[in-house]
Each structure stands twice: as structure tokens, then as C-alpha cells.
Amino acid sequence: MEASGGADEAVSGELVSVAHALSLPAESYGNDPDIEMAWAMRAMQHAEVYYKLISSVDPQFLKLTKVDDQIYSEFRKNFENLKIDVLDPEELKSVSAKEKWRPFCLQFDGVIEDFNYGTLLRLDCSQGYTEENTIFAPRIQFFAIEIARNREGYNKAVYDSVQDKEDKGADKGANNGEKEKSDKGEEKEKKAKNGVNESDEIAM
């Protein structure tokens, strides 16, 4: 998605600097409210960029990294039966879950930049980033689950919901206008697909 590349890169750059600060031992900054606020703001910006992507482009056409195939293959090999449409936090955060996730995540050290950087992950993929629907997860865990959600069709609910709202907001009486809007929508999605196919990676 070349059109969103600039915004994504800006967010990514900001996330890296905060990631460095957050990678320091806790005693380095204690309960510094500035650090906590900076993390929250940057993490939320990252979340907003991603949510806009899956709202405007059919998620099955999105490519989040250069190694999506590898991530998805390894994810489903290790977590074949993990329910990803609505996540159970225990499947990510319990002691036994962390022991299983650790080797999966570590194999992408050096493959995915800042693979263990803290990221916001939605529990219910049909919903947005709300306090009740969000948990903290390593970046590679975010990629693994969201790539699977995109490929397996779960994130389509977000895209369909946004498209339905746009359709309902249109003037129902203007048939010609509706046709023009539909044509433009098809053209927009066609361009989006081409953008995804031409780009090796969406910077996240």
C-alpha cells in the first residue's frame, strides 16, 4: 500500500524510539508517567493505522510483512486450533501459553524488526480498539494473529461493516449517483489490490 506508506513509516519511526525506551529495565525510569503516556500514544497510532487499512481494503489482499507466508505457516503449525476470531487472553498470557509462544516468537528475531516490541491487539476481531477489547502483545504475535485473521476471512467483518455504513449514508434515491459510487468503489478496490500486489510490504 504505497499510498499509506508515508503515514505508516512515520508511525513506525515513532514506535521504534519509544520501543527503545520501553526496552530499558523498569528501574531506569520507574513509573515515569511521560514514558507510559508516550507508549500509549504511539501504540494507539499504530493501532489506528492498521484499523484504517482493514476498514478501507478487503483484508485478504493485505500484506503486512515480507514474510507473511512464513509467519502464517509457522503460526498454524504451532497453534493449529487456536481460535482467533475472539481471542481468549489465557491463550496468550497464561504461563503455559507463554512457554508455547516463546519459541515461536524467538524464531523471528532478526527476521521481523522489533519483533518483540509491545503492540495493541484486539480480542474480538469484529470490533475496534476499545479498552475492553484490547490487550498488550509482542509485535510478532500481533502479526501472526492478524495475518491469520486476514487470510481466514475473520477481519472481513470490519471491512464489510464500514462499507455497509458508507452505502447506507448514500442518497438512496439517486440511482445514478449510487452507480457512480459503486463504480468508484470498484475502482478504488482495484487500485488498492494493485498497490498491495506491487508492494513487498506494508510498513507496520
Side-chain angles (χ1 to χ4, degrees):
M1 290 293 295
E2 295 178 357
S4 61
D8 293 345
E9 290 174 6
V11 172
S12 178
E14 293 175 341
L15 289 174
V16 169
S17 62
V18 177
H20 172 68
L22 294 177
S23 68
L24 298 174
E27 57 270 20
S28 297
Y29 51 83
N31 295 320
D32 189 330
D34 291 335
I35 292 293
E36 293 179 359
M37 180 60 72
W39 172 84
M41 290 175 63
R42 271 61 174 193
M44 199 62 216
Q45 285 179 323
H46 172 277
E48 289 174 352
V49 167
Y50 181 67
Y51 195 75
K52 286 179 180 178
L53 282 175
I54 61 175
S55 297
S56 59
V57 179
D58 190 333
Q60 68 175 316
F61 298 112
L62 290 177
K63 186 175 182 182
L64 303 184
T65 77
K66 294 179 179 178
V67 291
D68 278 18
D69 291 342
Q70 180 184 350
I71 293 174
Y72 180 69
S73 175
E74 289 297 325
F75 170 65
R76 275 315 188 192
K77 183 170 70 176
N78 288 277
F79 302 93
E80 181 180 2
N81 299 316
L82 181 64
K83 188 171 180 286
I84 59 173
D85 55 340
V86 181
L87 294 169
D88 178 355
E90 288 297 305
E91 295 285 352
L92 307 177
K93 300 298 184 182
S94 68
V95 174
S96 59
K98 287 181 178 179
E99 289 178 354
K100 189 172 183 179
W101 275 101
R102 187 174 296 111
F104 169 82
C105 294
L106 289 176
Q107 69 180 303
F108 291 99
D109 184 6
V111 178
I112 295 296
E113 185 178 359
D114 298 321
F115 77 104
N116 61 348
Y117 173 78
T119 309
L120 296 178
L121 178 66
R122 294 170 301 142
L123 293 173
D124 183 344
C125 68
S126 68
Q127 305 299 318
Y129 284 93
T130 63
E131 183 176 353
E132 298 77 15
N133 195 46
T134 304
I135 59 171
F136 183 73
R139 194 175 191 226
I140 184 57
Q141 199 173 53
F142 165 88
F143 278 139
I145 291 172
E146 290 297 340
I147 288 171
R149 282 173 165 175
N150 290 339
R151 293 192 173 198
E152 295 174 18
Y154 293 111
N155 275 337
K156 189 74 155 51
V158 172
Y159 175 73
D160 287 343
S161 176
V162 172
Q163 299 309 308
D164 287 344
K165 288 179 180 179
E166 290 182 355
D167 290 342
K168 290 178 181 179
D171 182 2
K172 296 180 180 179
N175 293 329
N176 291 335
E178 286 295 316
K179 184 178 184 303
E180 182 180 351
K181 178 179 182 295
S182 177
D183 292 341
K184 288 183 178 179
E186 292 176 3
E187 182 180 354
K188 175 183 177 183
E189 183 164 341
K190 183 177 179 181
K191 289 182 178 179
K193 292 177 184 177
N194 290 337
V196 171
N197 292 333
E198 292 169 2
S199 175
D200 288 333
E201 179 176 3
I202 294 176
M204 290 295 297

